Amino acid sequence: MRKLKLAPSVFGADLGNLREQLKILEENDVELLHVDVMDGHFVEKMAFGPDHIKMLKNMTSIPLDVHLMIEKPERKLDAIIDAGADIITIHQESTTRLYSCIEKIKSRGRKAGVVLSPATSEDTLKYVLDKIDMILLMTINPGEDGPGFHPELVEKMRNVHRFIGDRPIDLEVDGGIDNTNIQVCREAGVNVFVSGGYVFKGDIAEKIRSLRENA
Ligand code: ZN
């Protein structure tokens, strides 16, 4: 089984205490920091542009896992890469130029991934599997809060895990992940877990321990 990685989402952090909270993540050996970039078009919310990514890069040594929820991501890739993103994931639904986006990211020495919204079929991954480093499956609609984790997507996780085979691709899930559903995802082959609200509400170190224990 591929190595477990936790990717707390900075969107769930208390921005007033960000430095302190990042320190706790570092002390607890969190593998990735998930950064949601939202443009107000692809999703209704707006969050975290290149300037914020640059700020985060200066504040922490945790690699930045940047999830682009923006229309036409090809227009912003250079700025996101220049800002210090280590992994960049792009929604299958957000561009007609997925190949050139992946090539751009890879040519600049960063890791590239593809994200599928809950209703997008895993079959759409077929022709990118040999080009990418990560697949991110949304377990809720991107940019939406409710109604939480959709358990019927576990079958999709299993299918994607099977597609990946022994390729060096991380399989990540995002949306409503907590200590009650992490195990079922892990058993379906997922190894990277985004968690926002769950990790940052309450005792962060304890939440991280609980995720690792339950995975
Ligand atoms: Zn995300």
Side-chain angles (χ1 to χ4, degrees), residues 34 36 67 69 136 138 174 194:
H34 190 77
D36 287 314
H67 172 192
M69 288 181 261
L136 169 52
M138 295 300 301
D174 183 0
V194 177

Side-chain angles (χ1 to χ4, degrees), residues 119-189:
T120 305
S121 171
E122 58 271 35
D123 292 335
T124 62
L125 295 168
K126 188 173 171 187
Y127 300 105
V128 293
L129 279 175
D130 289 317
K131 300 177 182 294
I132 54 177
D133 305 289
M134 183 182 265
I135 293 167
L136 169 52
L137 300 180
M138 295 300 301
T139 44
I140 60 171
N141 266 338
E144 294 179 11
D145 295 322
F149 182 80
H150 287 290
E152 65 270 31
L153 294 169
V154 172
E155 184 191 338
K156 189 178 184 182
M157 296 171 205
R158 277 194 213 104
N159 291 342
V160 173
H161 179 63
R162 201 176 59 243
F163 291 172
I164 290 173
D166 50 16
R167 292 178 180 86
I169 299 175
D170 279 321
L171 180 54
E172 180 177 43
V173 287
D174 183 0
I177 300 299
D178 61 24
N179 60 345
T180 67
N181 52 35
I182 191 167
Q183 188 181 16
V184 68
C185 302
R186 183 69 171 144
E187 284 168 358

